[in-house]
Amino acid sequence: MIDINSIPHINEISNNGLYHGTGSKKTATFKERSASRNKIVPSLEDAIRKTGLKDGMTISFHHHFRNGDHIVNTVIDKLAEMGYKNLTLAASSLAAVHSHLIEHIKNGVITHIETSGMRGELAEQVSRGLIDCPVVFRSHGGRASAIVSGQLHIDVAFLGAPSCDPYGNANGYIREDEGGIACGSLGYAVPDAMFADNVIVITNHLVAYPNAPWAIPEYEVDYVVLTDDIGDPKGIMSGATRYTKDPKELLIAKTAANVIDAAGYLYDGFSMQMGSGGASLATARFIRQKMLDKNIHCRFALGGITGQITAMHEEGLIDRVLDVQSFDLDAALSLKNNHFHHQIGAVYYASHLTDAAVDQLDFVVLSALEIDTDFNINVLTGSDGVIRGAIGGHPDTAEGASLSVVVAPLTRGRIPTVVKHVNTVVTPGDVVDVVVTDHGIAVNPKRPDVKEKLIAAGLPVFDIEQLRVRAERIVGVPDPIKYKDRIVGVVMYRDNTVIDVIRQIDED
């Protein structure tokens, strides 16, 4: 045992009485303190002024309210009213509801945009040259990494929250007896809250302290603004996810499940991520049946989470659910009710700067707008060259997972899905292992081990070039898209290097 009196000068220090106390002990009740010492400000304008926001700075938003979001438009309207100019808008993604931003780009309030995706009229206009500076498109993991590294510096983050207490503890779900709306996980807002210079939480539902558990803790929040409207529940959440009845999607899904099984990645304790598209969701149905037949379980399911995944968790088939974005109301309710359904941030999910959760995946099932004969994937631009999608976590999971399976119909309408060259490379062919269509399977030549197993299992395996030829025989070869020289978008890979550019479409 240490004799504290033997420490040199300890007696002198003690005698001098260096500790004199603070004299500021709080004696008010918790109720009194909560009413007077909190982070609530009277208005959004007051909060903006307190941050010291200036022209030319960067503001950020999350996209968990999806097409029901009212936060982005409301904030940008207020900033325009206050006279701000030349701002960079760094949203985790943008939806059709954000067409309102077009006027603020034209009037110079917004001059730069960083995002994972863009849809609707805003995307149409950007594709036609609306904004002078090219839009920077990053994956979810790439955006998180850029924020952590300082490559994307956020001056003020405006984070909508379905519930928040007076000190800033914010979450994406609420209790049944509290009313309001829910969006589930706030995973894509987490890095913004951690690294932005100033954080404003905007909520329509103030609850008593502490709002626990929380997605965003109070020590990362500077100001809380109470408003009447953060979003439209119909655009934020649907009910339980509907199963597809499309025979083509069901065929693709069944084949994808058979591919995963034959490749050896369906074992007791496996890990997985499913997309939210019809074929991906249906794949989970067939995976579930195989799990029951084999009497095996999944250690964890990752990513954007649907009610189908949470139902499997509650059934005992999935041990842990790691949720960066809740896609439906069932998933949001599960996050609140199930102890082993965890809310995770975008850095934990997919940052290339660390061993992220995507790097622990056995397999991922992903969708595609286009696939080319080098296995490159496009999920960002349509067959007309117009921006109409989002990178999301596509390249993050494709690289991280041991087996990446891309599901898509061979043709859509009169347009081939398998082509010689995709319009926009989002996920490079080097990290794509298998393509599953309704007309057969193609395996990347880099994975001869997988191809051998699929052939041995009697699955319909073709060369990717054979699938391209078949697609063209069915629908023909589309006329090439005409572009102008001007670049309207820069596509970043998950390590934040440029992988492709998007050029302005030429309609002259």
Side-chain angles (χ1 to χ4, degrees):
M1 178 178 292
I2 297 175
D3 179 5
I4 196 167
N5 291 315
S6 68
I7 301 175
H9 309 301
I10 192 68
N11 290 326
E12 179 183 346
I13 293 172
S14 300
N15 292 334
N16 287 340
L18 294 184
Y19 175 72
H20 297 290
T22 63
S24 60
K25 178 177 172 63
K26 299 179 182 70
T27 59
T29 65
F30 161 68
K31 183 178 181 180
E32 290 169 337
R33 290 199 303 273
S34 297
S36 61
R37 298 170 62 89
N38 57 55
K39 298 178 181 178
I40 301 172
V41 292
S43 69
L44 177 60
E45 182 171 339
D46 288 329
I48 292 169
R49 294 197 187 283
K50 284 178 178 292
T51 65
L53 181 68
K54 293 180 173 59
D55 291 352
M57 286 186 170
T58 297
I59 57 176
S60 77
F61 302 84
H62 68 74
H63 73 287
H64 292 285
F65 293 162
R66 289 172 284 278
N67 206 41
D69 176 60
H70 291 172
I71 296 292
V72 173
N73 292 342
T74 298
V75 171
I76 303 301
D77 279 350
K78 177 56 67 175
L79 293 173
E81 179 187 310
M82 295 172 70
Y84 285 98
K85 296 287 185 181
N86 191 31
L87 296 173
T88 294
L89 188 157
S92 55
S93 201
L94 294 167
V97 72
H98 298 124
S99 61
H100 188 67
L101 296 176
I102 293 171
E103 67 175 276
H104 294 304
I105 294 171
K106 290 179 177 179
N107 64 26
V109 177
I110 301 298
T111 54
H112 299 74
I113 295 177
E114 293 214 9
T115 181
S116 172
M118 189 178 289
R119 293 178 170 85
E121 185 61 23
L122 176 61
E124 294 270 355
Q125 292 300 318
V126 167
S127 300
R128 290 170 170 82
L130 170 68
I131 191 166
D132 291 337
C133 186
V135 174
V136 176
F137 291 93
R138 300 184 196 270
S139 71
H140 289 324
R143 180 180 188 270
S145 298
I147 292 173
V148 171
S149 67
Q151 185 174 346
L152 173 56
H153 176 80
I154 299 169
D155 294 289
V156 183
F158 296 87
L159 306 179
S163 67
C164 186
D165 66 35
Y167 290 87
N169 296 295
N171 220 330
Y173 55 80
I174 54 179
R175 296 198 304 265
E176 289 91 341
D177 60 341
E178 292 179 335
I181 62 176
C183 69
S185 174
L186 290 177
Y188 295 127
V190 171
D192 302 57
M194 292 178 66
F195 292 95
D197 289 346
N198 296 271
V199 176
I200 300 173
V201 169
I202 303 171
T203 186
N204 67 335
H205 195 64
L206 201 64
V207 300
Y209 179 91
N211 185 25
W214 51 78
I216 298 170
E218 61 184 271
Y219 54 80
E220 291 173 350
V221 176
D222 297 290
Y223 308 105
V224 176
V225 176
L226 185 62
T227 184
D228 292 332
D229 179 22
I230 59 173
D232 179 1
K234 293 179 181 177
I236 295 173
M237 283 291 173
S238 63
T241 305
R242 301 292 187 268
Y243 291 142
T244 182
K245 296 181 180 179
D246 186 324
K248 184 184 292 188
E249 289 187 334
L250 290 173
L251 173 61
I252 294 169
K254 184 176 182 179
T255 304
N258 288 336
V259 164
I260 293 164
D261 191 9
Y265 292 96
L266 205 59
Y267 62 94
D268 192 35
F270 69 92
S271 58
M272 67 175 176
Q273 178 168 336
M274 298 287 176
S276 60
S280 296
L281 286 172
T283 301
R285 289 177 62 190
F286 290 105
I287 291 290
R288 173 186 174 275
Q289 188 57 53
K290 287 180 177 292
M291 292 170 68
L292 292 171
D293 293 342
K294 292 171 170 279
N295 191 28
I296 61 175
H297 73 292
C298 172
R299 178 55 185 169
F300 73 87
L302 175 67
I305 299 300
T306 65
Q308 186 170 18
I309 293 297
T310 60
M312 292 172 68
H313 173 55
E314 291 173 355
E315 195 177 2
L317 294 175
I318 300 174
D319 291 349
R320 302 287 191 277
V321 178
L322 305 181
D323 188 347
V324 71
Q325 180 178 24
S326 306
F327 278 127
D328 56 37
L329 186 57
D330 285 354
L333 292 173
S334 170
L335 183 63
K336 176 173 68 70
N337 296 328
N338 290 315
H339 181 66
F340 292 116
H341 184 167
H342 301 277
Q343 191 167 192
I344 62 171
V347 175
Y348 182 104
Y349 170 52
S351 172
H352 80 280
L353 298 176
T354 184
D355 288 329
V358 294
D359 299 311
Q360 312 302 325
L361 285 171
D362 277 313
F363 63 85
V364 61
V365 180
L366 298 164
S367 59
L369 293 175
E370 288 182 315
I371 306 147
D372 69 22
T373 50
D374 290 321
F375 287 83
N376 297 311
I377 307 295
N378 170 27
V379 292
L380 194 55
T381 57
S383 58
D384 55 358
V386 173
I387 300 163
R388 56 180 78 255
I391 298 176
H394 203 289
D396 304 312
T397 53
E399 180 180 308
S402 298
L403 182 74
S404 56
V405 179
V406 174
V407 294
L410 190 66
T411 62
R412 288 189 177 93
R414 299 294 301 171
I415 303 297
T417 300
V418 180
V419 297
K420 191 168 186 63
H421 299 291
V422 294
N423 293 332
T424 307
V425 178
V426 170
T427 300
D430 286 348
V431 299
V432 175
D433 297 309
V434 183
V435 171
V436 177
T437 75
D438 50 323
H439 285 260
I441 303 162
V443 181
N444 194 317
K446 293 179 178 292
R447 295 302 304 270
D449 57 320
V450 173
K451 184 174 183 178
E452 181 180 344
K453 290 176 180 177
L454 301 192
I455 292 173
L459 295 174
V461 178
F462 300 89
D463 290 338
I464 191 79
E465 178 66 18
Q466 291 176 293
L467 293 181
R468 182 189 70 81
V469 170
R470 181 173 295 188
E472 291 181 356
R473 285 176 180 169
I474 296 171
V475 297
V477 181
D479 293 333
I481 302 169
K482 294 181 180 180
Y483 294 103
K484 296 184 177 181
D485 291 336
R486 181 181 174 190
I487 295 173
V488 298
V490 177
V491 184
M492 312 294 283
Y493 189 53
R494 66 182 302 237
D495 62 358
N496 289 311
T497 57
V498 176
I499 192 171
D500 207 345
V501 297
I502 302 170
R503 298 187 185 275
Q504 180 180 346
I505 58 174
D506 186 352
E507 298 174 310
D508 296 337

